Structure formats: C-alpha cells, structure tokens
Amino acid sequence: MLKLKLINLMLNLTFLGAIASSASAAEMTEMTEEHTKRSTQFQRIEQPLALKIGLTVGGLALISAQLWWFLFSKPKSQQAETSEGVQEVIITVDGGYSPSLVTVKRGLPVRLNFMRRDPSSCLERVLFPDFHIAQDLALNVITPIEFTPQTIGSYQFSCGMNMFHGAINVED
C-alpha cells in the first residue's frame, strides 16, 4: 500500500514538473529571444539528446536508491542466543547499531553486550527509556547492559543525542 502511494506521488510530481518546465520553457524562449536581440555576449549551448536522457535516467536512479535506502531497506536483525539462562547478543556500535533489531523472549534475563568502535560523542551513551537505563559506552571495550523484559512488545533504544536508533522485540 505504501509502495503504491509512493509511486503515485512520484508520478504526480513528475507530471507537475513536466507541466511547470514546459510553461517556463516557453517563457524562457521568449526571454532568450529578447535577450539575444539586446546582447550577443551569452549564447545558448544545445546539448545532445542522449546526454539529456542519460542525466535524467541517472537522476531517477539516484532518487530511487535513496527512497529504497530510507524507506524500504530492513534493519539488521538477530535472535538472542540463550546460554545459562541468559539471552545474550553482541551489538557493534560503529556509525549506528548492528544489529539494530534484537529479538528476545519474555521473562528471561537479557544481556546486551555493546562494543563501541565509533569515537564520536553521539554514540558514547545508550538510552533504554522503557527500562530506565542510561549507560555510557567505553571505546573499544564491551559494555554489558542487563534487564529482564516482562511485557511483550517493541522497545526502542537510542544514542545520547537520539540520532541513532535500535529496537528490542520481546516475544513469548
């Protein structure tokens, strides 16, 4: 459903852009002819049609890649492994969280081992607002965070500046 709306929006914007450019092209032609009569200092340079088509296709490809990256790519997900009654996952902090989505079981203790490799100040702290946890992460050291989720649902976590996000999915 979202894909159809997005495609419809893109087509509408393309159509409106074509109308606007054709109207402005006619105005520009009149202005160019008028300007040419006054001055010959600047002249219009006609570009080959293949170049125009290539630039248009390249631009549309870049727009499509950005839309896919921000709207349709799925976050990296990992199921927590249980050993000695504790669910455990290693999360690498390097320009974000990897994996950014962790699935755990309700009622069992969870230990998230954060390995921070990114020296930026944004990622030096991780916040779990639903569990009332705020933990500093040392650089190049594993920092464990432990909690026991009691309710099924999805719980968000983020960096100290709320720029990078992850989630814990609690299942039965």
Side-chain angles (χ1 to χ4, degrees), residues 94-97 118 120 122-123 157-166:
D94 192 6
Y97 300 105
D118 191 330
S120 68
C122 179
L123 290 165
F157 63 91
S158 68
C159 68
M161 295 180 184
N162 203 24
M163 293 174 60
F164 297 99
H165 302 271

Side-chain angles (χ1 to χ4, degrees), residues 83-95:
S83 65
E84 299 177 12
V86 177
Q87 302 175 84
E88 201 164 7
V89 173
I90 296 175
I91 298 176
T92 304
V93 182
D94 192 6

Side-chain angles (χ1 to χ4, degrees), residues 103-157:
T103 304
V104 299
K105 298 209 182 294
R106 177 176 62 108
L108 290 174
V110 174
R111 182 180 303 131
L112 301 176
N113 295 312
F114 285 88
M115 176 57 160
R116 179 174 160 231
R117 297 184 191 269
D118 191 330
S120 68
S121 61
C122 179
L123 290 165
E124 67 186 10
R125 187 172 188 89
V126 65
L127 306 172
F128 290 83
D130 296 314
F131 298 107
H132 305 289
I133 297 173
Q135 179 71 46
D136 290 331
L137 303 175
L139 189 60
N140 295 320
V141 176
I142 291 180
T143 306
I145 296 178
E146 297 182 9
F147 58 92
T148 303
Q150 298 298 331
T151 309
I152 295 172
S154 181
Y155 300 96
Q156 303 296 315
F157 63 91

Side-chain angles (χ1 to χ4, degrees), residues 3 67-77 99-101:
K3 287 182 182 180
L67 288 172
W68 173 83
W69 178 262
F70 289 108
L71 298 178
F72 302 117
S73 66
K74 295 182 180 178
K76 293 181 180 176
S77 176
S100 60
L101 180 60

